[in-house]
């Protein structure tokens, strides 16, 4: 995973602007929170400062201790690779007795069985999904850091189709693997569309992260898209080196990636990333496609013209035969009239 240049954007920090936070205005402010909850939240902050991995970023709010926002980088080897996924978090007043509330910024896309397009996060650790007791929120052990790591590793994984309990039993079987591949293809396209939304409308206080991350990751993202649309690598399997073998990829997926590929080039170029080679290659491909389409249209028109011309000649020949036959019959009729009785 490409890390941010010189770690310019801190892993954890406190900010003031919470105007676009999903839970702003919906929960009590810090002064109304019990001391127990405040102490626990401060412990969470210490964990962030010490243990956050380089692919997870968290912002607390100076005037609202009960709110957080986290950004998770999609891991390589998954259909979510190099994406930025944002989660708004709110601590209930009786935290940690109850788990936090979490809202996924979906931009209207459902990219995972556990992440709904309305922002709902379905997870045993949040008690929003059934699971074993050891998987549920434990007031004495569970943390927000644990939650974020679980989302990154267990939710945004390499085969999200099997996150759905009803599909888990099909893992390793032909039917299930085919469905999983098709689902991952769809997910990658939605992940790219999510990238576009994040690039065009970065969540507040993360504008710098969005720019730096996508500038650093632009080449890998575009090379991946190029490999996928040409069928040279399976979804999430591009590692920067092409093996020269064709991958099992659907025609629908190639077309969808080809469409989003051009949009990504434009959006990524605005981060300062160098995309000139990709733009030139894409432009040449589109020009070649246009020429081929024009040639096909000309060939089709010529074939149609020849067909019409051939039909005309056939009609003329038939008319000549009919006229010739009529002439012969007329002569025979005249000849029969001159025969003496």
């Amino acid at each position: 995973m490409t890390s941010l240049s010189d770690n310019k954007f801190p892993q954890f920090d406190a900010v003031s602007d919470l105007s676009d936070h999903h839970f702003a205005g919906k929960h009590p402010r810090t002064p109304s929170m019990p001391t127990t909850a405040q102490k626990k939240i401060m412990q969470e902050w210490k964990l962030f400062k010490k243990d956050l991995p380089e692919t997870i970023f968290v912002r607390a709010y100076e005037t609202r201790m009960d709110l957080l926002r986290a950004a998770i980088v999609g891991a390589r080897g998954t259909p979510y690779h190099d994406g930025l996924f944002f989660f708004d978090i709110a601590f209930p007043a009786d935290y940690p007795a109850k788990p936090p509330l979490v809202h996924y910024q979906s931009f209207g896309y459902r990219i995972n069985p556990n992440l709904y397009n309305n922002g709902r996060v379905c997870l045993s650790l949040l008690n929003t999904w059934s699971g074993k007791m050891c998987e549920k929120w434990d007031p004495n052990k569970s943390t927000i850091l644990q939650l974020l790591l679980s989302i990154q590793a267990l939710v945004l994984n390499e085969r999200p189709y099997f996150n759905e309990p009803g599909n888990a039993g099909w893992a390793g079987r032909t039917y299930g693997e085919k469905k999983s591949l098709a689902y991952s293809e769809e997910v990658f396209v939605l992940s790219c569309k999510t990238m576009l939304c994040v690039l065009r409308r970065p969540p507040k206080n993360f504008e710098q992260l969005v720019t730096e991350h996508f500038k650093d990751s632009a080449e890998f993202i575009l090379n991946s898209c190029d490999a996928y649309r040409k069928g040279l690598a399976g979804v999430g399997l591009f590692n920067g080196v092409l093996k020269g073998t064709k991958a099992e990829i659907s025609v629908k997926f190639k077309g969808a990636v080809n469409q989003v590929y051009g949009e990504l080039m434009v959006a990524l170029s605005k981060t300062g990333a160098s995309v000139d080679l990709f733009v030139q290659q894409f432009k040449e491909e589109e020009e070649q496609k246009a020429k081929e389409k024009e040639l096909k249209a000309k060939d089709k028109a010529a074939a149609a013209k020849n067909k019409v011309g051939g039909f005309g000649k056939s009609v003329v020949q038939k008319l000549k035969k009919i006229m010739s036959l009529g002439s012969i019959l007329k002569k025979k009729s005249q000849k029969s009239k001159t025969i003496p009785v």
Side-chain angles (χ1 to χ4, degrees):
M1 173 65 63
T2 303
S3 60
L4 293 177
S5 306
D6 304 320
N7 292 319
K8 295 176 184 176
F9 191 81
Q11 300 295 126
F12 176 73
D13 203 356
V15 294
S16 58
D17 190 350
L18 50 77
S19 58
D20 68 336
H21 195 285
H22 179 75
F23 294 107
K26 298 181 181 180
H27 288 270
R29 293 181 178 277
T30 304
S32 65
M33 294 190 73
T35 304
T36 304
Q38 293 187 38
K39 285 182 178 179
K40 178 62 176 176
I41 292 171
M42 291 298 292
Q43 290 174 8
E44 300 274 9
W45 285 17
K46 289 179 181 178
L47 281 177
F48 292 147
K49 292 176 181 178
K50 184 178 67 169
D51 296 329
L52 272 177
E54 63 177 9
T55 52
I56 296 179
F57 302 81
V58 176
R59 290 294 177 267
Y61 294 90
E62 295 168 350
T63 59
R64 295 290 301 272
M65 182 182 279
D66 59 319
L67 301 181
L68 292 174
R69 171 169 287 168
I72 297 176
V73 180
R76 297 273 169 91
T78 75
Y80 305 101
H81 68 77
D82 298 287
L84 269 180
F85 305 96
F86 289 87
F87 298 85
D88 283 353
I89 300 168
F91 296 100
D94 54 355
Y95 185 79
K98 290 182 181 178
L101 301 174
V102 182
H103 176 83
Y104 166 59
Q105 294 190 18
S106 71
F107 300 98
Y109 301 119
R110 189 175 182 185
I111 64 168
N112 189 283
N114 300 86
L115 304 176
Y116 288 66
N117 56 2
N118 64 359
R120 176 179 170 81
V121 179
C122 225
L123 204 61
S124 299
L125 189 56
L126 293 174
N127 295 344
T128 52
W129 185 255
S130 58
K132 300 175 183 177
M133 284 305 298
C134 62
E135 298 172 342
K136 290 182 173 291
W137 182 264
D138 183 340
N140 298 314
K141 297 179 180 178
S142 300
T143 66
I144 301 298
L145 179 58
Q146 177 193 358
L147 168 67
L148 297 176
L149 291 172
S150 296
I151 292 174
Q152 185 179 54
L154 303 178
V155 175
L156 303 173
N157 63 35
E158 65 273 14
R159 298 196 296 172
Y161 175 77
F162 298 116
N163 284 18
E164 189 71 53
N167 299 335
W170 291 100
R173 301 164 71 177
T174 302
Y175 171 81
E177 295 303 322
K178 285 185 176 179
K179 295 288 285 184
S180 175
L181 176 60
Y183 186 79
S184 289
E185 289 181 347
E186 180 182 350
V187 160
F188 178 75
V189 174
L190 293 180
S191 181
C192 287
K193 290 182 177 181
T194 301
M195 288 184 200
L196 289 169
C197 290
V198 169
L199 281 160
R200 292 165 181 165
R201 195 174 66 213
K204 289 186 183 299
N205 307 302
F206 285 83
E207 294 89 348
Q208 182 185 352
L209 172 66
V210 170
T211 298
E212 291 179 5
H213 168 73
F214 284 112
K215 181 179 179 180
D216 287 347
S217 305
E219 184 176 354
F220 191 90
I221 292 170
L222 293 176
N223 272 326
S224 299
C225 288
D226 193 39
Y228 299 154
R229 72 194 183 100
K230 292 176 179 176
L232 299 176
V235 181
L237 298 180
F238 177 76
N239 60 3
V241 180
L242 294 174
K243 298 179 180 179
T245 56
K246 290 287 184 178
E248 185 181 350
I249 284 179
S250 68
V251 174
K252 179 182 177 182
F253 177 60
K254 290 180 183 178
V257 174
N258 193 66
Q259 183 175 358
V260 77
Y261 181 58
E263 293 182 69
L264 278 172
M265 275 188 277
V266 174
L268 290 171
S269 68
K270 295 178 181 179
T271 67
S274 178
V275 300
D276 293 347
L277 290 177
F278 296 99
V279 172
Q280 183 60 32
Q281 180 191 39
F282 191 67
K283 182 180 178 182
E284 289 173 358
E285 288 177 7
E286 293 301 305
E287 288 175 350
Q288 183 61 33
K289 286 179 184 178
K291 288 179 181 178
E292 290 175 358
K293 186 176 180 180
E294 186 179 352
L295 285 173
K296 284 182 181 180
K298 287 182 179 179
D299 291 342
K300 187 176 180 180
K305 185 177 180 180
N306 291 336
K307 186 175 181 180
V308 172
F311 175 75
K313 289 179 181 179
S314 176
V315 170
V316 170
Q317 289 174 352
K318 286 181 180 180
L319 286 172
K320 285 182 177 180
K321 287 181 180 180
I322 292 172
M323 292 176 67
S324 176
L325 178 61
S327 178
I328 292 171
L329 291 173
K330 184 177 180 181
K331 287 180 180 179
K332 284 185 177 181
S333 176
Q334 289 176 346
K335 187 175 181 181
S336 63
K337 288 180 181 180
T338 59
I339 296 174
V341 177

